[in-house]
Amino acid sequence: MLVVFVAPFFSPAATQMIEAALALPHIRLAVIAQQPLDQLPRHLAGRLVGHWHVADVTDAAQLAWAVQGLSAAHGAVARCFAAYEQSQLPLAIVREQLGIPGLPSSAANNFRDKARMKDVLRAAGIPVARHQLVGQPGDARRFVADVGFPIVVKPPAGAGAKATERITDANALEDALQRYRPTVDDPMLAEEFLRGTEHSLETVTINGKPVWHSLTRYAPTPLEVIENPWIQWTVLLPREVDDPRYDDIKRIGDKALAALGMTTGVSHCEWFRRPDGSVAISEIAARPPGANMTTMISRAHDIDFVGSWIRLMVDGQFVTPARRYAVGTAYLRGQGHGAVASIEGLDTVQREYAHLICDARPPYLGQHPTGSYEGEGFLILRHPDTRVVQDALTRIISTVKVVLR
């Protein structure tokens, strides 16, 4: 079976996925990427049956050219998929053109176009933030008149909190309109600002049927993290995934996936628990989660979740794992400007929580800021008791200080 995996770059996450795919004995793996093959570690590159170098993995024409070239050289392509969100729609178009099974383009467009997504969800009776596609300044001003400040604005095809901006008053709105300069052909998306605690819901779906769920909680919200580069933040994956207090979001999440047209794969839904206890969905991606969540899921169940996702995409099979631990990640982010000049409190928490730490990428002196919400380093903890993990995360981010100068 010839399988094609698509990734823009050979990042650590993409490399991990390639390695997991190569572990399947019954497939032959080819890769489409924007990097040449010599950028992939040799022990992996030598095991690929093919590689196709393209300029842009979000261009359906280039992807079709690459898939057809690989098929001509190595035989019919049985599966073609990616974890990169921006590739989902063009890949779906290519699969339909070439008769390769996978998520339909109509569903991929539902997931990729956030305005369309919210229209579909609202029509299905699913609670989502109120929104407006802004093709001219008057659209945004009328939307604010209806919902009030604050609002958030983003590209309709944004991914997660990236490129998302909170607008708190009329001056900020006018400034954003000047910078975005929205048009009917190139609009921006305005949304109601959701208040409450923010979470994620991960779901494995096979042939349209949800078969497994996972949950996390962000503290603070990803938007606050993006707005404040110095904030150290946490993601908590509770052990009690089957607790009745999560029944509502799992039911609503499953209904949302059905409305959007999910077939087989892993989805990542960001949602809010509002102050009144109700649930509202922010957005959903038809891909595995980022921010170390695949590692956290792996540690919570003593499995290789990346490998499980690869088998799901290749064979349509998923073995439901038992939740053994609560897991949390503390993201350590620098304060100030420049390189890392000092790190305070890290040795203390590493000694204090050595029995909990299962993965770590500590910051180091002289390190330049990553510019990412994941920060300059992280510690991943696990323990059977969720409270133990939560308390440790709180102490870590209050104790560790990464100073930039």
Side-chain angles (χ1 to χ4, degrees):
M1 176 189 293
L2 179 60
V3 172
V4 175
F5 179 73
V6 178
F9 307 108
F10 297 131
S11 64
T15 300
Q16 182 184 12
M17 293 170 183
I18 291 169
E19 187 163 20
L22 286 168
L24 295 181
H26 63 292
I27 74 167
R28 296 175 298 130
L29 184 68
V31 170
I32 299 171
Q34 293 172 193
Q35 284 185 300
L37 188 58
D38 61 14
Q39 298 299 304
L40 185 67
R42 286 186 181 181
H43 73 284
L44 301 178
R47 296 164 60 194
L48 297 177
V49 299
H51 165 267
W52 208 277
H53 187 192
V54 298
D56 184 359
V57 296
T58 69
D59 184 327
Q62 293 184 47
L63 289 175
W65 167 64
V67 173
Q68 288 172 314
L70 289 168
S71 179
H74 306 289
V77 174
R79 300 285 186 274
C80 184
F81 61 95
Y84 187 53
E85 182 165 345
Q86 289 84 340
S87 292
Q88 299 304 324
L89 179 55
L91 258 183
I93 293 170
V94 170
R95 285 194 300 261
E96 288 178 344
Q97 289 175 348
L98 303 180
I100 301 170
L103 187 72
S105 61
S106 57
N109 197 25
N110 286 341
F111 284 101
R112 186 72 186 118
D113 184 330
K114 305 310 180 187
R116 178 186 175 112
M117 169 186 290
K118 288 178 171 61
D119 287 338
V120 171
L121 295 181
R122 183 170 286 108
I126 295 163
V128 294
R130 289 175 288 176
H131 74 284
Q132 172 69 52
L133 200 58
V134 175
Q136 57 183 357
D139 296 336
R141 297 176 189 128
R142 285 188 291 273
F143 180 69
V144 166
D146 289 339
V147 305
F149 289 111
I151 63 169
V152 295
V153 297
K154 63 177 79 171
K162 296 176 182 178
T164 298
E165 183 177 349
R166 185 187 336 214
I167 304 297
T168 57
D169 56 38
N171 289 336
L173 177 62
E174 295 305 318
D175 179 66
L177 289 170
Q178 283 295 315
R179 286 183 284 109
Y180 275 90
R181 296 190 178 277
T183 65
V184 173
D185 293 330
D186 186 19
M188 74 178 187
L189 179 62
E191 291 183 4
E192 171 190 10
F193 178 75
L194 292 174
R195 291 178 170 84
T197 57
E198 189 167 0
H199 308 251
S200 76
L201 171 70
E202 284 68 53
T203 304
V204 170
T205 305
I206 299 178
N207 295 327
K209 179 182 178 182
V211 298
W212 176 87
H213 300 91
S214 182
L215 293 146
T216 70
R217 176 176 174 177
Y218 306 123
T221 68
L223 180 56
E224 291 176 86
V225 173
I226 292 295
E227 290 177 335
N228 302 282
W230 55 269
I231 282 183
Q232 299 190 135
W233 65 297
T234 66
V235 177
L236 175 68
L237 189 158
R239 186 179 183 186
E240 300 80 10
V241 67
D242 293 323
D243 191 285
R245 69 181 181 271
Y246 299 125
D247 286 350
D248 54 354
I249 183 55
K250 287 190 284 188
R251 181 180 63 255
I252 291 169
D254 290 351
K255 185 178 178 181
L257 290 175
L260 295 171
M262 187 66 179
T263 53
T264 294
V266 173
S267 56
H268 170 61
C269 169
E270 295 184 338
W271 61 279
F272 282 79
R273 177 75 69 186
R274 294 194 266 208
D276 65 1
S278 65
V279 164
I281 287 179
S282 175
E283 57 187 53
I284 310 177
R287 57 164 174 79
N292 288 328
M293 288 187 201
T294 55
T295 300
M296 293 171 65
I297 293 170
S298 295
R299 301 297 177 259
H301 302 86
D302 276 334
I303 62 168
D304 172 12
F305 187 68
V306 170
S308 296
W309 173 67
I310 294 290
R311 287 189 293 274
L312 175 69
M313 299 306 291
V314 172
D315 298 325
Q317 299 176 359
F318 182 79
V319 177
T320 304
R323 189 89 139 207
R324 303 179 184 276
Y325 302 95
V327 179
T329 300
Y331 293 95
L332 309 176
R333 307 171 89 211
Q335 301 180 24
H337 301 280
V340 175
S342 65
I343 306 166
E344 303 170 9
L346 181 59
D347 290 345
T348 298
V349 299
Q350 285 180 314
R351 286 194 303 270
E352 188 173 340
Y353 298 114
H355 62 297
L356 300 182
I357 297 172
C358 56
D359 296 85
R361 192 196 71 199
Y364 57 88
L365 295 177
Q367 178 183 4
H368 291 283
T370 64
S372 163
Y373 57 82
E374 294 187 14
E376 284 56 76
F378 60 80
L379 300 176
I380 301 180
L381 318 178
R382 75 171 180 176
H383 189 275
D385 189 329
T386 300
R387 176 57 64 177
V388 169
V389 174
Q390 188 168 27
D391 289 347
L393 291 174
T394 301
R395 171 151 168 74
I396 287 170
I397 63 170
S398 64
T399 301
V400 177
K401 184 177 181 181
V402 180
V403 179
L404 307 178
R405 289 198 189 94

